[in-house]
Amino acid sequence: MRTSRVLLGLCARRATLVSLLPWRWVLQGLPGLERSPQKPVPIAGAQLCPWNARRELYQKVSNFVGSVGSPLLANIYLHAMDKYIESKYLNLTPYQRRRQRKKGDGNYLYVRYADDFIVLCNGTKTDAQQMKEELGGLLDNMGLTLSEEKTKLTHITEGFTFLGYKVIREVGTNGKMVPKVLIPESAMKKYRHKVREALAPNTHKESINAKITALNRLTNGWCQYYKASSSPSRPFDKLTQELFWDMAHWLGRKFDITMPEVMKRYRKEHTFGTKSIQLVTPFEHKAKRLLTKTWHNPYTAKEAIIREKLLIIQSLWSGEEYRHGRMDIREDVIERKGTICAMNGPDCESRGIPLHPSEVIVDHIILRGKFKYPKDADRMDNYQILCTNCHRAKTKNDLEVLSRVR
């Protein structure tokens, strides 16, 4: 520090470096301090190697977290386990199941999704432990290992978590013990963190419409997944209150106004919104009692596959409507050009009649790929108003043109 004070007036940038010169060789001589390239760093699934070799290995191998191949390989490997459990424990008649119970042995139910599976047993804890050892031996013969950390033996009254749901047996409204599928507290905590991340103080420069659109997608996706649980209205109501006040404070900080002024400008009954969009709250999603749903086979139902591909193409090629940063441009285009379809094709929905703003799609007249500078495609004169059918026909035509060019 004394050397730094003396040399600070001469050369401020090198003052700290010079002050450490008398102590540099002493520090390097200590056995606990080594230079980073010489210090071995462990890698998961690999031997110890220097830091620079680890960096080169990471650049070549990368770090893959989740992919389509993971559930595909799980289905291929665990298909033998499905056949084994089905042939030995599941293909039993009701008479055989009652006979098993009279003997004192338990029956089993088996559910698997990718590499996550559960086995339900109505026998003793010893029966469950034997099933665990049996499955562990079966997987060991297949070259797989049953994770002891993730495998859990528990009673149904204590509950367990499977695919993001908490399954437990509790007292129901009629006073009897019934199974329940609940929303775990960890899932609610994750939703809160995502909302607070979206409404962070450093996001005040984003437009209101873009922010509400992002929150609506988050809320709709989360609530659609958990609305089939038991009594979702209570956690939905709790999260609604938190989302309401988080959004209110975000609006207040964005425009530097008080809470009464926020309520006066942007409150729409029990939520917030603008002229074109409103914030969707979890409480608006009602419970879904029908849990089972028939679905087509993706390998045989060709017509259903074609229909789904058209829906995917429509969602991907829907123009500026699905871009967060273009919500303000959408409002300007609708305000200037109205809501009448510009193409007026054979399957047009409007036929010269103005549509509701939520039903129209704002699209480019000339594709962005045909511009040398893509920003030139975002001029106001290159936008047009289309209905759903005309936009679908134009998208199909554009895809054919792009495939010919390629």
Side-chain angles (χ1 to χ4, degrees):
M1 293 178 62
R2 295 174 182 174
T3 311
S4 300
R5 293 192 188 100
V6 174
L7 298 178
L8 187 61
L10 300 177
C11 186
R13 291 184 298 177
R14 300 185 181 275
T16 305
L17 178 61
V18 174
S19 65
L20 294 178
L21 284 178
W23 307 99
R24 184 182 61 179
W25 303 110
V26 178
L27 293 175
Q28 290 183 356
L30 295 178
L33 296 177
E34 299 180 0
R35 297 181 181 179
S36 58
Q38 300 175 355
K39 187 176 181 180
V41 180
I43 301 178
Q47 297 179 354
L48 297 180
C49 63
W51 175 81
N52 52 358
R54 175 178 178 267
R55 179 177 59 182
E56 295 177 359
L57 180 64
Y58 181 82
Q59 291 176 353
K60 293 181 180 179
V61 179
S62 186
N63 185 18
F64 299 96
V65 181
S67 64
V68 181
S70 178
L72 176 61
L73 294 176
N75 290 333
I76 294 175
Y77 272 87
L78 298 181
H79 180 70
M81 186 177 68
D82 298 344
K83 291 295 184 181
Y84 174 80
I85 298 179
E86 182 179 0
S87 61
K88 188 174 181 179
Y89 297 104
L90 302 183
N91 291 334
L92 299 178
T93 62
Y95 172 75
Q96 292 174 337
R97 291 182 177 275
R98 290 194 298 268
R99 189 174 179 181
Q100 285 282 104
R101 292 295 294 162
K102 288 182 180 180
K103 291 181 180 180
D105 299 331
N107 296 310
Y108 299 94
L109 292 177
Y110 167 74
V111 180
R112 182 178 70 85
Y113 185 86
D115 59 342
D116 295 332
F117 64 90
I118 57 173
V119 180
L120 303 177
C121 174
N122 60 355
T124 60
K125 186 177 181 179
T126 305
D127 296 337
Q129 184 67 31
Q130 292 177 356
M131 172 57 71
K132 177 184 176 182
E133 296 176 357
E134 184 177 354
L135 292 179
L138 177 64
L139 294 175
D140 186 57
N141 295 333
M142 298 166 56
L144 303 176
T145 304
L146 189 64
S147 176
E148 294 294 338
E149 298 178 357
K150 298 181 180 180
T151 307
K152 181 181 179 181
L153 286 178
T154 180
H155 197 270
I156 190 62
T157 54
E158 298 178 2
F160 59 90
T161 303
F162 182 64
L163 300 181
Y165 293 95
K166 183 179 180 181
V167 184
I168 193 171
R169 189 165 180 255
E170 294 180 340
V171 179
T173 56
N174 56 359
K176 299 181 180 180
M177 298 292 290
V178 295
K180 294 182 180 181
V181 180
L182 305 176
I183 304 176
E185 188 63 31
S186 59
M188 299 175 61
K189 185 178 180 180
K190 188 176 180 180
Y191 173 81
R192 292 191 187 99
H193 288 174
K194 289 185 177 181
V195 170
R196 292 170 183 173
E197 182 180 357
L199 299 176
N202 57 354
T203 61
H204 291 161
K205 294 183 180 180
E206 300 180 11
S207 64
I208 302 178
N209 293 336
K211 184 60 61 179
I212 293 179
T213 302
L215 291 175
N216 288 349
R217 292 176 181 178
L218 172 63
T219 302
N220 288 332
W222 192 85
C223 293
Q224 287 289 339
Y225 187 78
Y226 284 107
K227 72 178 185 179
S229 57
S230 303
S231 302
S233 58
R234 293 183 179 178
F236 283 4
D237 188 17
K238 184 177 181 180
L239 294 176
T240 297
Q241 300 295 329
E242 298 178 4
L243 177 62
F244 179 86
W245 289 110
D246 288 345
M247 188 65 189
H249 288 290
W250 184 85
L251 292 171
R253 288 191 297 264
K254 177 178 176 62
F255 298 101
D256 195 14
I257 56 179
T258 61
M259 282 295 108
E261 188 66 21
V262 170
M263 300 299 174
K264 182 179 179 180
R265 290 187 189 180
Y266 300 103
R267 184 169 183 178
K268 308 291 183 182
E269 296 181 357
H270 60 282
T271 183
F272 296 100
T274 60
K275 295 181 180 179
S276 59
I277 191 171
Q278 287 189 1
L279 179 66
V280 178
T281 59
F283 190 75
E284 299 179 17
H285 294 267
K286 303 303 179 183
K288 184 179 180 181
R289 299 299 181 185
L290 183 60
L291 302 182
T292 58
K293 179 181 179 182
T294 58
W295 195 66
H296 62 273
N297 190 339
Y299 301 100
T300 58
K302 297 182 179 180
E303 296 181 357
I305 295 174
I306 295 174
R307 185 169 60 252
E308 287 188 355
K309 285 184 177 180
L310 291 176
L311 293 176
I312 293 174
I313 292 174
Q314 179 184 353
S315 62
L316 294 177
W317 289 78
S318 55
E320 305 300 331
E321 182 178 359
Y322 291 91
R323 298 184 183 180
H324 289 184
R326 305 298 181 183
M327 295 299 297
D328 297 334
I329 296 179
R330 171 187 168 84
E331 288 189 355
D332 295 340
V333 174
I334 293 176
E335 184 177 357
R336 294 186 183 184
K337 300 187 177 183
T339 58
I340 300 177
C341 181
M343 290 187 63
N344 196 14
D347 298 331
C348 184
E349 298 177 352
S350 61
R351 295 289 183 181
I353 302 175
L355 297 172
H356 191 270
S358 61
E359 299 175 351
V360 301
I361 297 176
V362 178
D363 193 17
H364 289 102
I365 300 176
I366 303 176
L367 293 178
R368 294 175 61 91
K370 294 184 178 181
F371 284 86
K372 183 177 181 180
Y373 302 101
K375 292 184 179 180
D376 295 340
D378 296 334
R379 296 194 304 266
M380 187 61 61
D381 56 352
N382 194 36
Y383 285 104
Q384 62 180 349
I385 300 296
L386 298 178
C387 64
T388 305
N389 293 336
C390 293
H391 179 263
R392 188 178 303 172
K394 181 178 179 298
T395 301
K396 186 177 181 181
N397 186 24
D398 293 341
L399 289 176
E400 294 177 356
V401 172
L402 290 176
S403 61
R404 293 173 187 173
V405 173
R406 292 177 181 176

